[in-house]
PDB file of all heavy atoms in Angstrom:
ATOM      1  N   SER Q  11       1.212   5.258   0.655  1.00 43.00           N
ATOM      2  CA  SER Q  11       0.566   6.372   1.341  1.00 43.00           C
ATOM      3  C   SER Q  11       1.261   7.665   0.985  1.00 43.00           C
ATOM      4  O   SER Q  11       2.448   7.686   0.674  1.00 43.00           O
ATOM      5  CB  SER Q  11       0.622   6.161   2.860  1.00 43.00           C
ATOM      6  OG  SER Q  11       1.952   6.035   3.309  1.00 43.00           O
ATOM      7  N   PHE Q  12       0.501   8.757   1.011  1.00 45.00           N
ATOM      8  CA  PHE Q  12       1.050  10.058   0.667  1.00 45.00           C
ATOM      9  C   PHE Q  12       0.779  11.029   1.804  1.00 45.00           C
ATOM     10  O   PHE Q  12      -0.212  10.929   2.506  1.00 45.00           O
ATOM     11  CB  PHE Q  12       0.417  10.578  -0.633  1.00 45.00           C
ATOM     12  CG  PHE Q  12       0.693   9.685  -1.805  1.00 45.00           C
ATOM     13  CD1 PHE Q  12      -0.179   8.651  -2.121  1.00 45.00           C
ATOM     14  CD2 PHE Q  12       1.835   9.851  -2.545  1.00 45.00           C
ATOM     15  CE1 PHE Q  12       0.082   7.811  -3.189  1.00 45.00           C
ATOM     16  CE2 PHE Q  12       2.106   9.007  -3.620  1.00 45.00           C
ATOM     17  CZ  PHE Q  12       1.229   7.993  -3.942  1.00 45.00           C
ATOM     18  N   HIS Q  13       1.694  11.962   1.958  1.00 43.00           N
ATOM     19  CA  HIS Q  13       1.599  12.910   3.053  1.00 43.00           C
ATOM     20  C   HIS Q  13       1.770  14.330   2.529  1.00 43.00           C
ATOM     21  O   HIS Q  13       2.171  14.550   1.399  1.00 43.00           O
ATOM     22  CB  HIS Q  13       2.685  12.627   4.089  1.00 43.00           C
ATOM     23  CG  HIS Q  13       2.641  11.232   4.630  1.00 43.00           C
ATOM     24  ND1 HIS Q  13       1.919  10.877   5.729  1.00 43.00           N
ATOM     25  CD2 HIS Q  13       3.233  10.097   4.186  1.00 43.00           C
ATOM     26  CE1 HIS Q  13       2.073   9.577   5.965  1.00 43.00           C
ATOM     27  NE2 HIS Q  13       2.865   9.081   5.042  1.00 43.00           N
ATOM     28  N   ALA Q  14       1.503  15.272   3.401  1.00 39.00           N
ATOM     29  CA  ALA Q  14       1.737  16.693   3.125  1.00 39.00           C
ATOM     30  C   ALA Q  14       0.976  17.147   1.895  1.00 39.00           C
ATOM     31  O   ALA Q  14      -0.186  16.845   1.745  1.00 39.00           O
ATOM     32  CB  ALA Q  14       3.226  16.968   2.994  1.00 39.00           C
ATOM     33  N   ASP Q  15       1.672  17.847   0.962  1.00 41.00           N
ATOM     34  CA  ASP Q  15       0.981  18.470  -0.155  1.00 41.00           C
ATOM     35  C   ASP Q  15       0.589  17.496  -1.252  1.00 41.00           C
ATOM     36  O   ASP Q  15       0.027  17.904  -2.243  1.00 41.00           O
ATOM     37  CB  ASP Q  15       1.837  19.548  -0.822  1.00 41.00           C
ATOM     38  CG  ASP Q  15       2.911  20.124   0.042  1.00 41.00           C
ATOM     39  OD1 ASP Q  15       2.862  19.978   1.256  1.00 41.00           O
ATOM     40  OD2 ASP Q  15       3.809  20.714  -0.545  1.00 41.00           O
ATOM     41  N   ALA Q  16       1.013  16.250  -1.124  1.00 44.00           N
ATOM     42  CA  ALA Q  16       0.850  15.327  -2.248  1.00 44.00           C
ATOM     43  C   ALA Q  16      -0.380  14.447  -2.108  1.00 44.00           C
ATOM     44  O   ALA Q  16      -0.723  14.007  -1.030  1.00 44.00           O
ATOM     45  CB  ALA Q  16       2.080  14.450  -2.374  1.00 44.00           C
ATOM     46  N   SER Q  17      -1.033  14.197  -3.221  1.00 42.00           N
ATOM     47  CA  SER Q  17      -2.089  13.197  -3.301  1.00 42.00           C
ATOM     48  C   SER Q  17      -1.889  12.454  -4.604  1.00 42.00           C
ATOM     49  O   SER Q  17      -1.175  12.913  -5.497  1.00 42.00           O
ATOM     50  CB  SER Q  17      -3.475  13.865  -3.294  1.00 42.00           C
ATOM     51  OG  SER Q  17      -3.665  14.605  -4.483  1.00 42.00           O
ATOM     52  N   LEU Q  18      -2.511  11.298  -4.729  1.00 40.00           N
ATOM     53  CA  LEU Q  18      -2.358  10.525  -5.955  1.00 40.00           C
ATOM     54  C   LEU Q  18      -2.856  11.312  -7.153  1.00 40.00           C
ATOM     55  O   LEU Q  18      -2.221  11.316  -8.209  1.00 40.00           O
ATOM     56  CB  LEU Q  18      -3.117   9.205  -5.827  1.00 40.00           C
ATOM     57  CG  LEU Q  18      -2.866   8.168  -6.926  1.00 40.00           C
ATOM     58  CD1 LEU Q  18      -1.376   7.849  -7.010  1.00 40.00           C
ATOM     59  CD2 LEU Q  18      -3.669   6.911  -6.653  1.00 40.00           C
ATOM     60  N   ASP Q  19      -3.970  12.013  -6.995  1.00 44.00           N
ATOM     61  CA  ASP Q  19      -4.500  12.817  -8.096  1.00 44.00           C
ATOM     62  C   ASP Q  19      -3.531  13.925  -8.480  1.00 44.00           C
ATOM     63  O   ASP Q  19      -3.310  14.206  -9.664  1.00 44.00           O
ATOM     64  CB  ASP Q  19      -5.854  13.422  -7.719  1.00 44.00           C
ATOM     65  CG  ASP Q  19      -6.941  12.355  -7.640  1.00 44.00           C
ATOM     66  OD1 ASP Q  19      -6.737  11.271  -8.223  1.00 44.00           O
ATOM     67  OD2 ASP Q  19      -7.968  12.617  -6.992  1.00 44.00           O
ATOM     68  N   ALA Q  20      -2.949  14.569  -7.448  1.00 48.00           N
ATOM     69  CA  ALA Q  20      -2.025  15.664  -7.720  1.00 48.00           C
ATOM     70  C   ALA Q  20      -0.785  15.159  -8.436  1.00 48.00           C
ATOM     71  O   ALA Q  20      -0.290  15.788  -9.381  1.00 48.00           O
ATOM     72  CB  ALA Q  20      -1.625  16.354  -6.414  1.00 48.00           C
ATOM     73  N   LEU Q  21      -0.272  14.003  -8.011  1.00 44.00           N
ATOM     74  CA  LEU Q  21       0.903  13.450  -8.660  1.00 44.00           C
ATOM     75  C   LEU Q  21       0.594  13.043 -10.096  1.00 44.00           C
ATOM     76  O   LEU Q  21       1.394  13.242 -10.996  1.00 44.00           O
ATOM     77  CB  LEU Q  21       1.430  12.250  -7.866  1.00 44.00           C
ATOM     78  CG  LEU Q  21       2.045  12.574  -6.500  1.00 44.00           C
ATOM     79  CD1 LEU Q  21       2.307  11.284  -5.724  1.00 44.00           C
ATOM     80  CD2 LEU Q  21       3.326  13.356  -6.668  1.00 44.00           C
ATOM     81  N   HIS Q  22      -0.592  12.469 -10.286  1.00 43.00           N
ATOM     82  CA  HIS Q  22      -0.990  12.073 -11.629  1.00 43.00           C
ATOM     83  C   HIS Q  22      -1.122  13.295 -12.536  1.00 43.00           C
ATOM     84  O   HIS Q  22      -0.659  13.287 -13.683  1.00 43.00           O
ATOM     85  CB  HIS Q  22      -2.310  11.306 -11.583  1.00 43.00           C
ATOM     86  CG  HIS Q  22      -2.752  10.785 -12.917  1.00 43.00           C
ATOM     87  ND1 HIS Q  22      -2.119   9.754 -13.562  1.00 43.00           N
ATOM     88  CD2 HIS Q  22      -3.762  11.185 -13.731  1.00 43.00           C
ATOM     89  CE1 HIS Q  22      -2.709   9.517 -14.717  1.00 43.00           C
ATOM     90  NE2 HIS Q  22      -3.709  10.373 -14.836  1.00 43.00           N
TER      91      HIS Q  22
END
Side-chain angles (χ1 to χ4, degrees):
S11 58
F12 298 90
H13 303 270
D15 337 343
S17 67
L18 190 57
D19 290 340
L21 291 170
H22 184 71

